[in-house]
Amino acid sequence: MMPSSSAPSAPSPGQPTTLRERKKLRTRQALADTAVALFGERGFDGTPLDALLEQVEVSRRTFFRNFRSKEDVALTAVKQLWGTYLDVLGAAEKSGPLADVLLGAMLTTLDRMDEDWYRRFPPTLRLIADSPALDGHALRHCAEVQEELVRRLGVPDRLELRLLIEFFVAAWRCALDEWLPECARGELPALLRRSCSSMAPALTLEA
Amino acid sequence: MMPSSSAPSAPSPGQPTTLRERKKLRTRQALADTAVALFGERGFDGTPLDALLEQVEVSRRTFFRNFRSKEDVALTAVKQLWGTYLDVLGAAEKSGPLADVLLGAMLTTLDRMDEDWYRRFPPTLRLIADSPALDGHALRHCAEVQEELVRRLGVPDRLELRLLIEFFVAAWRCALDEWLPECARGELPALLRRSCSSMAPALTLEA
DNA sequence: GCAAAAGTGCCACAGTGTGGCGTTAGCTCC
DNA sequence: GGAGCTAACGCCACACTGTGGCACTTTTGC
């Protein structure tokens, strides 16, 4: 609907300058980190939000000023990934096959994520796999990113562009599913490449 | 997770015989019909569940014995479609290109849905378009159907099968988006065919 | 310093979803 | 066609999520 004016989640500015902003960012990170840890232990649905608030020592009111929902805080790592992806794609040179552009941007993104993110992402994926509610939110977030991608990559044929983006995100999710059990950082790019190169053969699959 | 043992939603038996079952089915349909109408007027998020319960004259307890959630009742038409699709696909002969099998089954399904369904489906799509929460639930349901499809269409290459199914569902959603403004019954099959035939060209799209 | 602004905590409330329990209504068997 | 059984229902109370209002503290900029 709208691009989010003063909305919770997604702190766009690169580096917070004032003390106030850094402080707010600290509580945000504390909430996100503790959320993944806590939900990982007791399950997403089995952990009341109050448990998280108590541990981080933050009031409910403050929490909801930083995150839109309980799902939102659990999906912080996912949103960081796609946020970075959109940044990378915005700066990338868009020429040649679009499928390669989309893939290349994700490879760059994966290279750019730091060690801390690689610690928090796999547990987040497991939370998603275990909780349908979280999965729904994650899928919805992907859909929003896809809409944004269609908007940015203006192309004459609207339908084919949308299909290609849907395909790419689907390939990404397939790669994640194969990555999930082990979650070795170095293997994800290879899995994604393999998933993308299986796209064309998949269309001609025989029963 | 599990195939739903005595779970709410999805009445599998074809025709209810006893009076009790028919009565239960009537309240189910009354709830589903009224839900689409009511949510269509006042919006999904803007309509408390109590408004629906009051209009149908059913207690909250009874509602939740028939539907898993407020979203569930709003998505009745969507679930009916995919339920029928799985039935059709189960009975269909699976030979030749899998993409054609998937497409053919959906064309058959669209032909099999009755007039009443074609009245309720478009408003449901508009509800989904207007409410992120509903969209998330709808996407999650699609994901469950996809898992079921992978299970049924056993094929050596797991990855390519999953990709193909993801592609097909993506093409279906693209077709729906183009169908949405008008929603003329006869045009949906053509849109779906066009969407599916755009899949291969999409992969080689240039920036 | 000092006032405006941003952030936070506390309180109360609406809405969704669940468990317990007594009661009604349909089914079954005689 | 009557008695017992059982599924379904209504009502009550509760837990949890998310929001609005208001007072209080901290930071910022003058």
Side-chain angles (χ1 to χ4, degrees), chain B residues 7 31 100 108 127:
Chain B
L31 281 168
D100 293 346
T108 304
L127 287 181

XYZ file of all heavy atoms in Angstrom, chain B residues 7 31 100 108 127:
36
model
N -10.190 -32.635 11.908
C -9.832 -31.230 12.013
C -10.928 -30.358 11.408
O -11.701 -30.822 10.570
C -8.513 -30.971 11.288
N -21.973 -19.526 7.375
C -20.838 -18.767 7.898
C -19.927 -18.298 6.765
O -19.541 -17.127 6.712
C -20.048 -19.627 8.887
C -20.644 -19.751 10.291
C -19.953 -20.835 11.094
C -20.555 -18.415 11.027
N 2.062 -29.891 -18.563
C 0.757 -30.022 -19.202
C -0.235 -30.717 -18.284
O -1.428 -30.380 -18.269
C 0.894 -30.819 -20.511
C 1.693 -30.041 -21.544
O 1.884 -28.830 -21.335
O 2.128 -30.651 -22.542
N -9.535 -28.495 -15.963
C -10.657 -29.367 -15.594
C -11.328 -28.874 -14.313
O -12.556 -28.836 -14.208
C -10.161 -30.813 -15.388
O -9.506 -31.245 -16.576
C -11.313 -31.736 -15.063
N -10.715 -9.591 -1.142
C -10.392 -9.565 0.290
C -8.906 -9.832 0.480
O -8.224 -9.149 1.249
C -11.204 -10.627 1.039
C -12.687 -10.366 1.244
C -13.313 -11.511 2.013
C -12.900 -9.057 1.970
